[in-house]
Amino acid sequence: MSKLFCRTFQTCLKLGNYFMGYRTPEYIEGAGCISQLAELLIKNNVNDVLIVIGRHIRHSELPKSMLESFDNSGIRYTLFSDINANPTDINVEAGFKSYIENHCNAIVAFGGGSPMDCAKAIGAKVARPDKTVAQLQGLLKVRKKIPLFFAVPTTAGTGSETTVAAVITDAATHHKASINDPALLPSYAVLDPELTVGLPPHITAITGMDALCHAVESYTNHTYCTKVELDLAIKAVRLIHDNLYAAFIQGDNIVPRQNMQLASFYAGRSFTRGCVGYVHAVGHTLGGLYGLPHGEAMAIILPHVMRQYGSAAEKRLAELADACGITEDFLQGKGFAACKGFPKGQAAPFNVLTSRQKAEAFISWLEYLKQQLEIPVGVDCIREEDIPKMIAWAMKEANPLYPVPAIWGEKDFKKLIDTLRKA
């Protein structure tokens, strides 16, 4: 697919975006705000709700206060937890059947990205019962109002509580693809940091890196964004820079937990319009083929893609470095921000950095953060015989839709995959 065609398509879509009806879901936030959800349901005349929830979370203490408040308020509910880590079309069809059989009139998604995506796809099926999941995947295939949708994230990363996308895996082929439609935007989001306090450090790390990837890809894409999305991306990156490691090492500290939830929300709203890029396109192939958790795939790939973009992404990455104070850290000789060619721990011998040096400092920080969060540098599970399929899937997903800084062809994707295998 030619670069000219991709850019022409993106220009047309940018114009169309002004008529897409993007909005920010209404949300409540703060420790313990989950207790307000029952009142919100009653206010919206909901009496039978399908709760889409992860298998492990269902049997934990996390949903207990929510379910008790539903019982006390007379709200009937059905729990649906038959969801894979990477939700499949089979999961979606089963959830849709449960929604219909139990006469539900709203959906509550409780958990991380998997139940969120599955719940959105169930909503799409309710709106379009005559369509298969495969027929709904793609851009603007729903185009009908889904049931009232309440998103309760228990991680801080996916941003699904404010996005138009639901990523679903074909159970037969293992191919991941998105349903992308403004109809999937949740009506309400509940941002209760107490729900994230019990997250294991590794989950905190990879979900937080997922949010960072959303914000960085949206900001470096920049073609579709308005000032609103660009500002939200910067806010998200800054919050993650300041809070992710603290949340990782101090899991019971409510302040960084709250800030990471806001970062995830901002990043999700930003990439809803700004889009993601090749990090996600390649990362989805790793999740589909090898079951690599989504956030871990994003974290591993992010700095490699940003570096391979080269000069095409330098200006935007430099701006992120400035926004986070990484440029100043470099000038003071902080090791994690050392650019190539300068020894770690040695102050820069000048007072002004070029955009290229600032961009490299930002990428160096990404790599340092991954090291702090105990995330691998590369991927050792990629099989040689799968590489052509990975390239084909990534190109089909990304080109021409994603407004990436530089349009890649097969050789570029092969270069990235080789880098991941050798890292």
Side-chain angles (χ1 to χ4, degrees):
M1 190 173 294
S2 72
K3 295 180 181 180
L4 177 60
F5 175 79
C6 289
R7 292 309 190 201
T8 302
F9 176 92
Q10 291 159 15
T11 299
C12 293
L13 188 58
K14 180 179 181 179
L15 295 173
N17 270 340
Y18 289 101
F19 305 98
M20 292 276 277
Y22 292 113
R23 59 178 173 80
T24 301
E26 294 186 42
Y27 67 96
I28 54 176
E29 63 175 317
C33 68
I34 185 65
S35 62
Q36 301 173 39
L37 180 55
E39 181 182 338
L40 201 55
L41 292 172
I42 293 171
K43 178 182 176 182
N44 284 276
N45 299 314
V46 173
N47 44 35
D48 286 279
V49 62
L50 180 72
I51 302 175
V52 183
I53 185 171
R55 288 189 180 100
H56 298 298
I57 294 179
R58 176 176 182 170
H59 301 292
S60 71
E61 292 294 309
L62 278 184
K64 185 176 180 181
S65 62
M66 178 184 72
L67 298 180
E68 287 178 348
S69 68
F70 286 3
D71 290 333
N72 294 335
S73 301
I75 297 171
R76 296 181 294 274
Y77 57 85
T78 300
L79 291 166
F80 176 74
S81 59
D82 187 14
I83 308 166
N84 292 10
N86 292 297
T88 69
D89 52 340
I90 293 175
N91 300 154
V92 174
E93 294 290 356
F96 167 64
K97 181 180 179 182
S98 183
Y99 182 96
I100 298 300
E101 289 179 346
N102 290 284
H103 309 288
C104 299
N105 63 344
I107 298 173
V108 170
F110 189 99
S114 298
M116 292 282 177
D117 281 359
C118 190
K120 287 179 179 179
I122 292 169
K125 277 287 298 182
V126 174
R128 293 286 190 182
D130 56 323
K131 303 288 187 182
T132 66
V133 172
Q135 290 171 330
L136 292 168
Q137 287 171 321
L139 188 63
L140 301 176
K141 299 291 184 68
V142 183
R143 301 192 309 278
K144 284 187 71 175
K145 189 175 181 180
I146 70 169
L148 204 61
F149 187 92
F150 300 81
V152 186
T154 60
T155 64
T158 68
S160 290
E161 65 276 9
T162 182
T163 70
V164 300
V167 181
I168 305 297
T169 301
D170 186 296
T173 66
H174 306 291
H175 181 211
K176 272 185 160 186
S178 296
I179 304 172
N180 293 283
D181 197 299
L184 300 188
L185 273 170
S187 307
Y188 297 90
V190 179
L191 307 181
D192 188 339
E194 290 185 348
L195 298 176
T196 70
V197 166
L199 284 176
H202 179 65
I203 303 301
T204 298
I206 63 175
T207 54
M209 288 298 293
D210 189 20
L212 181 60
C213 186
H214 293 153
V216 171
E217 287 207 285
S218 175
Y219 194 77
T220 53
N221 283 349
H222 76 83
T223 304
Y224 295 159
C225 285
T226 67
K227 188 176 185 301
V228 171
E229 287 82 29
L230 293 175
D231 288 347
L232 287 172
I234 286 180
K235 286 181 180 179
V237 174
R238 189 185 294 126
L239 281 169
I240 295 166
H241 175 273
D242 295 345
N243 291 278
L244 177 52
Y245 184 63
F248 176 73
I249 61 173
Q250 300 174 344
D252 59 349
N253 188 334
I254 208 71
V255 175
R257 290 292 191 187
Q258 177 76 75
N259 286 334
M260 284 303 301
Q261 277 203 322
L262 282 174
S264 176
F265 188 82
Y266 292 155
R269 176 61 181 84
S270 180
F271 92 83
T272 289
R273 185 168 195 154
C275 252
V276 289
Y278 291 147
V279 180
H280 274 73
V282 176
H284 288 156
T285 71
L286 296 177
L289 289 170
Y290 309 114
L292 191 68
H294 176 78
E296 185 170 346
M298 300 302 104
I300 292 170
I301 299 171
L302 178 58
H304 295 292
V305 169
M306 291 300 133
R307 183 168 281 120
Q308 190 170 320
Y309 279 147
S311 61
E314 279 175 6
K315 180 178 181 295
R316 291 286 171 165
L317 292 176
E319 290 168 357
L320 291 176
D322 286 342
C324 295
I326 292 171
T327 300
E328 185 62 28
D329 286 338
F330 177 80
L331 290 171
Q332 294 176 6
K334 299 287 181 66
F336 71 81
C339 292
K340 286 184 176 179
F342 293 94
K344 289 188 177 183
Q346 178 178 311
F350 38 72
N351 296 321
V352 179
L353 300 179
T354 66
S355 290
R356 176 173 295 183
Q357 289 167 324
K358 290 179 181 180
E360 182 58 41
F362 185 82
I363 296 169
S364 294
W365 169 70
L366 292 177
E367 293 169 335
Y368 176 73
L369 180 61
K370 281 174 54 178
Q371 181 182 348
Q372 283 188 307
L373 300 176
E374 301 172 9
I375 292 170
V377 175
V379 182
D380 58 10
C381 61
I382 299 174
R383 296 184 293 263
E384 183 73 31
E385 61 269 24
D386 290 334
I387 294 177
K389 183 186 294 185
M390 291 175 64
I391 293 172
W393 286 358
M395 290 185 67
K396 181 178 180 181
E397 174 180 337
N399 296 341
L401 178 61
Y402 296 163
V404 289
I407 304 295
W408 286 0
E410 291 184 12
K411 290 182 179 179
D412 301 296
F413 283 103
K414 178 67 163 56
K415 178 181 178 181
L416 173 66
I417 293 168
D418 287 343
T419 299
L420 294 172
R421 297 179 76 198
K422 296 173 182 176

